[in-house]
Each structure stands twice: as C-alpha cells, then as structure tokens.
Amino acid sequence: MKRILIVDDSPSWRKYHTNAINQLYPDKFEIDTADFAITANEKLYLNEDTPYDIILTDMQMETNFLPLYAGEWLIEQIKKMKNYYKTGIIIISATPTIRMIAQKYNTDYIPKSHCRDINAYRVLENYL
C-alpha cells in the first residue's frame, strides 16, 4: 500500500482530498494529513525511515516563508531529504501561478478549481 501525505491548512480540503482519493482508489493508499508546511516537515522527518510515496501540498498556507509560498518551502525541504528522492509531489492550489511553480520544481499539479471533478485525482495513477 502506498503512503500519501496531504498538506493543506483547510480541514475541509484535507477531508475532500482524502475522500476523493479513497473513492477513486479504495485500499490503494494509506493517507496521512498535515495542516501546515511546518507540521508536514516534522512528519517527513519522523517518517524518514519509511518515507511517504506521494505528497500533495497546497501552496498558500502559513506566511512565515515569504517571498516563497509555504508549499514551495516544503517542496524545497523534501528535495533536500535523501530518503525522499523517489517521492512524488503534487501541488494542489488555487494560486494562479501553479503551473509555473510546478515547472520550477518538476512536480505534477492540480488546480483547486479542477478538484471538484474527481477525475483530476487520476494523476495519482502515475505513482501506482
């Protein structure tokens, strides 16, 4: 079973992402969540021996990391961790620059406006 970490400051979005993934891929993923980039970073270190396979992260969360978005800061931390070099990263955000950010970090992305269509989560098939 693949492990996913969903990072979003909105409890309703964390729940929505979890439900959408479980509906599309029952029994394929073990899902963990974090409410902020800092919390997610702590979970990454705590799980370094058994790293997450996929990380879905929002961009606009806590503002401690300006001029970067919190999600960008988190991606930079993930890319520095040797045990996470195989981990897939998917940005899920409403920021209008999501495509440019995804290209900058070589990640997949789903605009939040597309998340209402459950098929947007089919990008996870790239990681099965």
Side-chain angles (χ1 to χ4, degrees), residues 47-110:
N47 289 279
E48 203 166 8
D49 291 337
T50 54
Y52 294 99
D53 299 292
I54 305 166
I55 299 169
L56 279 68
T57 185
D58 188 14
M59 286 287 102
Q60 300 167 301
M61 297 176 282
E62 67 265 54
T63 58
N64 309 24
F65 308 104
L66 294 174
L68 294 177
Y69 287 122
E72 284 184 274
W73 175 85
L74 179 60
I75 291 169
E76 289 181 355
Q77 303 316 300
I78 296 165
K79 298 225 178 232
K80 291 176 186 175
M81 297 177 176
K82 66 177 185 171
N83 287 354
Y84 283 93
Y85 74 97
K86 289 184 180 178
T87 297
I89 301 171
I90 302 170
I91 298 170
I92 299 182
S93 182
T95 183
T97 58
I98 187 172
R99 184 170 158 234
M100 289 184 295
I101 294 169
Q103 288 174 339
K104 176 181 176 182
Y105 295 104
N106 194 29
T107 68
D108 285 317
Y109 70 96
I110 305 170

Side-chain angles (χ1 to χ4, degrees), residues 19-60:
N19 290 339
I21 293 166
N22 283 332
Q23 184 177 343
L24 270 177
Y25 304 103
D27 304 319
K28 296 276 186 198
F29 296 107
E30 176 187 323
I31 299 174
D32 194 5
T33 63
D35 52 1
F36 295 109
I38 289 287
T39 311
N41 195 48
E42 291 169 1
K43 286 187 176 210
L44 293 173
Y45 276 106
L46 289 173
N47 289 279
E48 203 166 8
D49 291 337
T50 54
Y52 294 99
D53 299 292
I54 305 166
I55 299 169
L56 279 68
T57 185
D58 188 14
M59 286 287 102
Q60 300 167 301

